[in-house]
Amino acid sequence: MRFAPRALGAAIVAALLATPVVAEELTGTLKKIKDSGTVVLGHRDASIPFSYLATDPRQPVGYSHDLQLKVVDALKKELNMPDLKVRYNLVTSQTRIPLVQNGTVDIECGSTTNNLERQKQVDFSVGIFEVGTRLLTKTTSGVNDFSDLNGKNVVTTAGTTSERLLKQMNAEKKMGMNIISAKDHGESFLMLESGRAVAFMMDDALLYGEMAKAKNPADWHVVGKPQSYEIYACMVRKGDAPFKQVVDKAIADTFASGEVNNIYDQWFMKPIPPKNLNLNFPMSDELKKLIANPTDKSAEQM
């Protein structure tokens, strides 16, 4: 049942990509970038391995960031601006949508889930990753699934879909959890590592990223039946079809050329900063399908 809607979404995106952007009729974000000579990229500081700050030099790196740079390359060609400047703007889970909406950031590629609620506020590119929401906990905690969280302290990151799901689960199942909403993923993991929470709920790939930077990664594991499957995508301003078209095409071309496989391997199958640990997170079948048939639909629409 998942394939027909995804195929339809891919067909719609393909039709959109087939329509050329007319340079002399620039509007919206493309005009803003052309006039200013600069594209502003929204990035995260702790969404390992998608978008985070490296230590030396201290600049954005990651899987999503590499795809974002492919968009920059496409903009240079589309606008005939080989010297297009890039400016970075840090965003958080709470500020990322407003900063895209108000024009501070032109595009945000990190670990942002495309969902129906957010589609009312911004537009999303074709999907760049697919995850499941699970739990990170100590191997000795006794927590193996969400049912083991009754009456316990559980941390998640504020402004995320995991926070909404966890609060909904707590209310509906009367689990008596004390839910702690940290400002970012790094703070969430500190809450967990310091013992102030017994588990950290978030997207599985991000949890593997946090585990990789732990003092002793072997002390932790990811457990639990996924409570949702979510598709990450890049955010752009709502209703700006010409700019979204360039973004979608840049990502779809990276998928079609096979370059995405090298990008994936670099961040999920090889040692990465800051501790040069390997996440050992093989590409899922769902992500392979997403790459083979790009779509800007959310998981809810599949």
Side-chain angles (χ1 to χ4, degrees), residues 275-289:
K275 293 192 173 183
N276 288 323
L277 292 174
N278 191 332
L279 272 61
N280 286 312
F281 194 80
M283 187 180 290
S284 68
D285 289 340
E286 290 301 317
L287 179 54
K288 290 176 183 176
K289 293 172 188 174

Side-chain angles (χ1 to χ4, degrees), residues 136-144 211 217-223:
L136 178 62
T137 187
K138 271 194 170 181
T139 55
T140 56
S141 70
V143 172
N144 296 300
M211 186 165 62
D219 289 346
W220 307 91
H221 61 171
V222 176
V223 299

Side-chain angles (χ1 to χ4, degrees), residues 17 63-64 67-68 70-71 74 107 109 124-129 232-235 244-257 259-260 290-291 294:
L17 300 185
Y63 170 85
S64 302
L67 290 175
Q68 197 173 37
K70 292 294 183 183
V71 174
I107 177 173
C109 298
F124 286 93
S125 70
V126 295
I128 61 173
F129 206 85
Y232 291 170
C234 299
M235 287 194 297
K244 174 173 154 50
Q245 176 187 324
V246 175
V247 173
D248 284 342
K249 188 175 188 305
I251 296 170
D253 285 350
T254 304
F255 289 173
S257 69
E259 287 181 89
V260 67
L290 189 64
I291 289 170

Side-chain angles (χ1 to χ4, degrees), residues 143-204:
V143 172
N144 296 300
D145 211 336
F146 286 85
S147 57
D148 298 320
L149 299 177
N150 287 2
K152 294 183 168 63
N153 290 349
V154 185
V155 67
T156 187
T157 304
T160 63
T161 51
S162 288
E163 182 187 39
R164 176 176 55 80
L165 286 168
L166 196 59
K167 288 181 177 179
Q168 182 179 331
M169 180 191 305
N170 202 30
E172 291 179 353
K173 297 185 178 181
K174 297 179 171 55
M175 296 176 69
M177 289 183 285
N178 176 34
I179 298 172
I180 304 167
S181 296
K183 68 175 183 178
D184 56 34
H185 305 319
E187 185 176 276
S188 290
F189 184 69
L190 283 176
M191 293 276 184
L192 180 66
E193 198 170 33
S194 64
R196 284 173 283 179
V198 71
F200 171 19
M201 180 183 179
M202 189 46 59
D203 306 336
D204 51 12

